[in-house]
Every structure is written in structure tokens, then in C-alpha cells.
Amino acid sequence: MSQVMDNATQTERLLTTSKAIAEGIAQEMERDPSVFVMGEDVGVYGGIFGSTTGLFERFGGDRIMDTPISETAFIGAATGAAMEGMRPIVELMFVDFFGVCMDQIYNHLAKNTYMSGGNQKIPVVLTTAFGGGYSDAAQHSQCLYGLFAHLPGLKIVVPSNAYDAKGLMISAIRDDNPVMFFMHKGIMGLGWMTPLPSAMAHVPEEPYTIPFGKAAIKQAGDNVTIVTLGIMVHRAMDAAKQLAAEGIQAEVIDLRTLVPLDTATIVESVKKTHRLLIVDEDYLSFGMSGEICARVVEEALDYLDAPVKRLAVPDVPIPYSRPMEQFVLPNAEKIIEAARNLARM
Amino acid sequence: MAKTNSLDAQTLISMYRTMAIIRNFEETMVNVYMEGKMPVFDIAGGTVPGEMHLAAGQEPVAVGVCAHLNDNDTVTAPHRAHHFAIAKGVDLKKMAAEIFGKDTGLGHGKGGHMHLFDQQKKFGCSGIIGAGMPVACGAALAAKKNGKDWVAVSFFGEGTANQGSFHESLNLAALWKLPVIFVCEDNSYAISVPKSKSTSIANNADRAASYGIPGFEIAENDVLAVYEAAREAVARARRGEGPSLMEVKTYRYLGHFQGDPELYRPKDEVAKLRESDPINKLGRQLIEQGAISEGDLVALDQEAAEKVKEAIEFARQSPYPQPADALKHVFV
């Protein structure tokens, strides 16, 4: 198995997240003939969000398979093929679309290993794009990773940048369990999205893995802990710069995976800063932010000098119109304000 | 070939008028959508942000079917929905305002272009593939329970015929003899995937046989051919004889969404399709029949352009919702 690498790498090559993911998939396909890709528009198009760019030309239609719009069939088929020893990567374009095939995911993909008493491996990687901020409205802007994390039996990966995305993708493919790989559209480096240069990274050409359940401390600080993931890592880092100018040192934690969740790193940080802000682009209630809050309360309540603060979508579907959408989504300004208030307590 | 002489001139002119409005609206949106997105395209930027799925070329399906409907009949449509909304009589100004994200829009800016709802015209659409089909069954069930001769029409693309909800809805509607007309727009591509790479048979209308209902294959993008087939399907539904399935071979002139690089189809494909444009064709037929003059045709086009211009202007001038309005309307 290849080595785990740190963020400081020996390469100068800058890649977008979509190219890093495609490269990770290609390298695993070269290494392991049981790896193949299925999904809508993953072939000639290269994936609507670029995660299979160039793979069809390189591996052909037998291993990069465009599917009909038949998600119950092709996601169920991924489970079936995996149970026969294949390692399918299966894409369902937008996470908002999973309603059409949930049974195959939450009753089968997620449970067959358990129901077989651990005898059945199901090495499926289920990729999907998520997130809003570009006026794609209520059925194309959700996050929903909290919903899938709620279901036992699925590992939940949510990278924030190109370097992590490649390492986490290779780990996902090699994992013997179902892994859902969430790609925030805004970090992919797509030509038609608002550019986010900080999501590009120096990505080593050779394969490497990043372990699940190991958060990254993007910036150390003593005054307030900001826990987040995906594109909100970048918003939090922007906020941290401004906060530093005001004399508030924020510690920014990028979870990288929700399942497994690196509770230890969060708790360790809270014991140092005594203040916790959770930033989540998903819905507020019954989700990631509540779960992290609960774990910190369970393990480090006595260390908190202020109530835990959560920034998340206030339990409304994502509205289309720009002023309303910007009102409900977390952003750097809201993070600054929330962290500033926490630091004053 | 459709028999044009079986139709009165007023119906033909009315269908021409609606198709002209749709075409003008969609072509206007091509330009409006790019406002504020140049020189560097950013989907989040501009006058109208987000995805934009336009239906230029697909007018005959919407107009030929909806010509048989009234305000009591329900229509469900997919993500590419403007043409269906216009054909069903949805107010053009309110629709444009919704697409602009304005407070005067159909949904006060909550829904946007893929999620247009008009309770008066009984129109709704969804960004989820196949989602409108069960809903149309429900509208038809309600009509049947209430003893009305109202019908429901569900429009969807050919890629949807491989979705579970297609098969479940056809069976349910056939089993319960629901007054539904399932109308498939075959524009050849499910985003980038051609029909031949996604569908095990050539004609989805053949699938009707599996459910014991009539299937109508309309092989040309011709509003009169659609009109004739829909006449029978709608009449059948109104008589209480149950559902039908229609598939119309149509053309998508533009990308799946605006900004689609369209690498999956030959560059000259659309140019060839435009040579047999269905609106031009009907216009010529009207003149040849002596129903209208060249001057009348120009006037119809101008009238369509004026209507669209007014609607776009209304949308531009309308105020945005207040940011905190986002918190309203989760429940009534």
C-alpha cells in the first residue's frame, strides 16, 4: 500500500479537484482491473462535474459506462457487482437525486455487510456532487451528507481540496466498505463555476492515500475552534484571516470525513480554545452540527467557556433567488461575526 | 402526414402564435442568461443565475398537446419547462419574474426556472427526472373520484422512460384507468447520452403494449401530427377509457443547459435540424392554405416578440424578495 503523505509535498504541479479525482480513479483502474465506473454522463462527457474527465478515452466504454437514467438499477447493480468481487465506482450526478433509489442505498448497500454478519464485503464508491450558492434552487443545491451519515453502514467522505480529494478517492476505492464520496461543486475547478483558487493544490503524480477519520487542522489557533468541511473550509479560512487581524486566533478544522468522525481532534481543540463554532452548509436541525455539538458536550463540556454556536441552513429548502439563497447559506462574514461573538464571551 | 385541412384556420393560427411566443421567449433567454456572465462565464453570476434549460425546437410537443386542454386539466413538466408552461397558458410575466428570481414571480423567487407552479392553470414542474408522472396520476385520480372529465398530462424526456417512476406510473394509470396522457419528448439526448445508448428499444411508444394501453409514435417534429395524436389520446381519457402514451420525435436546438459544450453531438447536427424548423413549416402551410398573408405572419411574429419583451421588462423592473423572506413558506 502506498504511503500516507502530508500536505507539504514534493510536487509543484497544481491540479483542480476534478482532475485530481479523475487521476486517482485512473491510477486505481490501472492497478486493479476490477475497478470500473458507471453513471450518467460519465463517458464522453467526462462527468457533469468533471470527476471522470479523460477516462472514457483512456479506458473505453467497457470500464467507463454511461448508464440510462435508471438509478435503482445501476446503483443496485453496483452493490451486486461488488458482492461478486468487483470494485465499482458509481456516480449519481447531484445528491438531491438520491430519492429515486434510496432503497438500494440504505437497505442494501449500507446493510448487506452487517446482515451477513460481516461476511459480505461491498466495496462500492458512490460519488455525487452537492452544495449551492449559485442559484440552482431547492432540488439541485442540497448537501444531505448528514442524512447519509445518519444511516449506519456508509462511510462519508467530503474533501475540501484537490490534494485531499485524490488521496481520499484512492482510499475509498481500496476500502472494502461502501463509501459515499461527496464533491462540492464549488471546489471542483469547473470552468463554469465561480473560481476558488484555494481548492487547487499541489498534487503528487504517484498514488497516495489519506486515511478516513483523520481531520486536518488547516490553521492552528487558541481562541476559537471552527469545525467544518467541504467548501466551508475555504470560507472559514477567509474568516480566520480577518479574525486574526482583529486579534482572534481561530483554529480551523477540516473534517475530511464525517463517517468516521475524528471526534478526538475536535475535542482536543476545544480543550485548548474553550469555544466551538460549527459551520455546516447542510440543514441545521438533526444533522452534522448537532452531532458534533453533542459529542463535544459529552466529552468536553467542562472545557467550554461559551455555548456552542452553529451556523447552518435554517431548516428551509434552498431558495432560488440570490438574495434569499445568500441569506440562508453560511459565508465568511457570518463566520467572522459568530466567531467574534464567541471570542467576546 | 397530418391532414391540415381538417383543422380550422383559427386553431392553426392560435398554435402558430403560441409556438412563436415560446421560440421568442427561449431565444430571448439565451441572451438574457448571458448578461453579466461575460467575458468569463460564471453560472452564479448575471441577471439570471443558475442552470438554464431551454426548449427552442421542441415547441410542437407542448403546443400540439396543450391545444386540447383547458384550465381544468393538469400538466406536469420536467426541468425544461418553459414551453409547456406557455402552452398551458401560464402568465408570461409572472413566469419571467420567477426566472429572474423576483418577488412578483409565480413562487416569489423561491422556485426558479425548474420549479414553476401555477395553481390557476394547474401547471407544475420539477427538476427531478420522472417526478411529474406519479403526480399526474394523482391529479387524474382526483378527477376520476370527483366525477369530472378533466385529464392530466405528464410531459417528460426520452431518458425518463428508463426511470422506475415511468413504469410504475404507466401500470398504475392503466390498472386504475386514470385519465392521464403520458407524453414523451424524444429529443435524442439525455444530457449527453443518446437514446440508442440508454434505451433497449427504438420507440418508447411500444412500451405502452406492456401495460395494455395505446401507444402513439409521432415520427416528425410537426405540431399538426402531434395535435392529431393528442386529440385521440385526450378524448379517450375524457371518455373514461384510461391512459395513453405518446412519443414525439423532436429537436433540441440548444445545449442541455446554456453553457453545455455539446461535445457529444456533431457540430452541424443542429444546423441540419433547423432547416426543417416546425414553426417555419406551419407558417408556410398557413400561407399556402391562404389562411393568412405574408404580412399577417410577420405581424404574428412581431406580436409574439412584443409579448415576450413586455414580460422580460416586467421581470427586470420587479423587486427582489427580501432576504429574510427565505424563512417563509416552509409550511402554510
Side-chain angles (χ1 to χ4, degrees):
Chain A
M1 287 286 144
S2 44
Q3 68 280 30
V4 175
M5 299 180 96
D6 291 316
N7 248 331
T9 62
Q10 53 289 69
T11 178
E12 284 306 303
R13 190 181 59 137
L14 266 179
L15 282 193
T16 62
T17 303
S18 63
K19 291 211 170 76
I21 291 170
E23 182 173 280
I25 293 172
Q27 288 172 342
E28 288 304 289
M29 289 184 70
E30 294 283 6
R31 194 183 65 83
D32 182 348
S34 68
V35 178
F36 69 102
V37 181
M38 290 191 284
E40 292 148 359
D41 305 282
V42 298
V44 174
Y45 201 105
I48 297 299
F49 301 100
S51 57
T52 55
T53 305
L55 299 187
F56 181 82
E57 292 73 14
R58 189 158 158 196
F59 296 100
D62 287 343
R63 291 185 77 190
I64 306 294
M65 302 170 68
D66 272 330
T67 58
I69 307 175
S70 307
E71 292 87 358
T72 291
F74 73 76
I75 289 178
T79 300
M83 290 169 73
E84 294 292 324
M86 303 294 287
R87 304 187 88 84
I89 300 166
V90 63
E91 177 157 308
L92 210 186
M93 212 179 290
F94 287 79
V95 74
D96 313 70
F97 297 175
F98 276 78
V100 298
C101 54
M102 270 305 269
D103 181 70
Q104 282 297 328
I105 297 166
Y106 85 121
N107 270 328
H108 300 88
L109 180 65
K111 291 179 183 167
N112 282 4
T113 296
Y114 185 79
M115 294 190 296
S116 67
N119 289 318
Q120 183 65 64
K121 291 176 183 170
I122 312 180
V124 170
V125 180
L126 189 45
T127 62
T128 190
F130 76 98
Y134 63 102
S135 297
D136 217 0
Q139 296 174 340
H140 288 72
S141 302
Q142 300 175 95
C143 293
L144 301 185
Y145 40 68
L147 190 146
F148 289 94
H150 180 67
L151 305 166
L154 299 168
K155 296 189 179 181
I156 306 296
V157 177
V158 191
S160 68
N161 64 78
Y163 176 86
D164 286 358
K166 178 175 171 181
L168 290 166
M169 174 52 80
I170 292 177
S171 294
I173 296 168
R174 294 181 188 178
D175 200 295
D176 282 338
N177 297 286
V179 177
M180 278 188 77
F181 195 94
F182 283 76
M183 307 176 287
H184 196 291
K185 297 154 210 166
I187 70 158
M188 298 298 277
L190 301 163
W192 44 280
M193 281 272 171
T194 310
L196 184 66
S198 55
M200 291 181 77
H202 297 291
V203 177
E205 289 185 29
E206 63 272 27
Y208 59 96
T209 58
I210 291 176
F212 293 170
K214 187 91 192 76
I217 298 174
K218 305 301 280 190
Q219 175 177 303
D222 293 328
N223 303 131
V224 58
T225 297
I226 303 176
V227 175
T228 190
L229 79 187
I231 200 168
M232 287 298 148
V233 171
H234 303 273
R235 309 291 184 240
M237 290 298 284
D238 289 344
K241 280 193 201 87
Q242 174 63 32
L243 289 164
E246 298 176 17
I248 300 165
Q249 307 305 323
E251 179 144 302
V252 178
I253 296 176
D254 176 356
L255 291 172
R256 301 203 284 200
T257 64
L258 263 187
V259 179
L261 181 66
D262 187 358
T263 309
T265 294
I266 303 167
V267 166
E268 209 52 43
S269 178
V270 170
K271 284 181 177 174
K272 179 174 67 169
T273 64
H274 310 292
R275 288 168 178 82
L276 174 61
L277 169 62
I278 305 155
V279 181
D280 187 5
E281 198 189 318
D282 209 342
Y283 303 124
L284 177 69
S285 296
F286 309 103
M288 175 189 115
S289 65
E291 180 61 32
I292 290 170
C293 177
R295 292 196 189 195
V296 168
V297 166
E298 283 164 352
E299 297 189 27
L301 179 62
D302 293 345
Y303 291 88
L304 286 169
D305 285 350
V308 173
K309 175 71 184 166
R310 298 187 286 159
L311 266 184
V313 173
D315 297 334
V316 298
I318 307 300
Y320 163 69
S321 186
R322 192 184 282 135
M324 292 194 290
E325 187 187 25
Q326 293 307 318
F327 179 79
V328 303
L329 293 180
N331 59 29
E333 290 68 39
K334 292 175 194 174
I335 295 169
I336 290 166
E337 196 194 343
R340 198 187 277 146
N341 290 340
L342 271 181
R344 282 184 190 142
M345 284 183 181
Chain B
M1 284 297 290
K3 297 185 290 281
T4 55
N5 55 7
S6 70
L7 284 177
D8 64 278
Q10 276 324 103
T11 303
L12 292 174
I13 292 166
S14 169
M15 290 201 289
Y16 182 91
R17 182 181 284 124
T18 309
M19 290 209 292
I21 292 169
I22 293 169
R23 177 66 57 84
N24 194 286
F25 188 86
E26 298 296 69
E27 289 185 340
T28 301
M29 284 312 300
V30 170
N31 296 322
V32 169
Y33 184 70
M34 289 311 287
E35 288 174 14
K37 293 193 183 70
M38 298 296 282
V40 180
F41 185 87
D42 178 352
I43 190 168
T47 307
V48 175
E51 287 181 77
M52 182 53 58
H53 312 84
L54 299 174
Q58 300 185 190
E59 297 87 355
V61 189
V63 174
V65 174
C66 290
H68 299 285
L69 306 183
N70 60 57
D71 287 356
N72 291 322
D73 300 321
T74 296
V75 164
T76 68
H79 55 286
R80 191 183 317 283
H82 300 168
H83 55 323
F84 300 125
I86 293 169
K88 187 65 172 60
V90 171
D91 183 86
L92 203 60
K93 287 181 178 173
K94 286 185 184 171
M95 178 175 127
E98 185 63 27
I99 294 168
F100 276 64
K102 298 300 182 75
D103 198 30
T104 52
L106 291 166
H108 301 287
K110 290 261 169 42
H113 118 100
M114 281 188 276
H115 315 103
L116 305 166
F117 293 91
D118 184 333
Q119 294 72 46
Q120 275 70 48
K121 295 293 173 183
K122 298 177 73 172
F123 177 86
C125 57
S126 168
I128 306 297
I129 296 303
M133 303 184 75
V135 176
C137 289
L141 178 64
K144 191 171 172 167
K145 281 182 179 295
N146 290 322
K148 308 286 190 188
D149 70 345
W150 305 348
V151 304
V153 177
S154 177
F155 292 103
F156 53 94
E158 89 288 345
T160 305
N162 302 311
Q163 179 63 265
S165 64
F166 170 92
H167 297 277
E168 295 181 28
S169 299
L170 259 65
N171 181 61
L172 193 77
L175 182 71
W176 292 349
K177 278 201 172 220
L178 299 177
V180 194
I181 301 94
F182 299 104
V183 184
C184 179
E185 286 184 293
D186 176 7
N187 67 13
S188 302
Y189 298 95
I191 306 189
S192 72
V193 180
K195 190 181 187 185
S196 61
K197 301 275 186 199
S198 72
T199 308
S200 59
I201 57 172
N203 297 322
N204 282 310
D206 294 347
R207 291 176 158 176
S210 313
Y211 303 100
I213 64 174
F216 301 91
E217 190 68 31
I218 295 101
E220 46 185 340
N221 194 27
D222 180 299
V223 69
L224 302 180
V226 176
Y227 182 90
E228 291 298 337
R231 185 210 300 271
E232 171 56 21
V234 172
R236 207 182 115 77
R238 287 205 201 284
R239 289 195 303 264
E241 292 168 20
S244 308
L245 171 64
M246 294 172 56
E247 182 172 59
V248 184
K249 183 72 204 158
T250 189
Y251 310 148
R252 188 184 82 201
Y253 286 170
L254 301 164
H256 165 68
F257 53 84
Q258 293 309 103
D260 178 355
E262 296 185 66
L263 300 175
Y264 49 85
R265 60 176 172 182
K267 288 267 173 268
D268 60 343
E269 185 178 287
V270 171
K272 277 189 198 138
L273 295 176
R274 280 183 187 268
E275 285 169 16
S276 50
D277 184 81
I279 301 181
N280 290 344
K281 184 178 168 189
L282 180 59
R284 281 196 311 275
Q285 284 171 336
L286 284 167
I287 291 167
E288 282 162 20
Q289 276 178 248
I292 57 170
S293 68
E294 292 275 2
D296 294 336
L297 194 69
V298 172
L300 281 171
D301 288 340
Q302 280 172 349
E303 184 194 311
E306 199 53 43
K307 245 182 121 61
V308 171
K309 200 175 155 197
E310 274 173 29
I312 298 292
E313 203 47 37
F314 173 78
R316 279 190 203 283
Q317 299 304 328
S318 291
Y320 279 105
Q322 292 301 310
D325 287 350
L327 304 177
K328 296 183 195 165
H329 305 137
V330 177
F331 299 109
V332 291

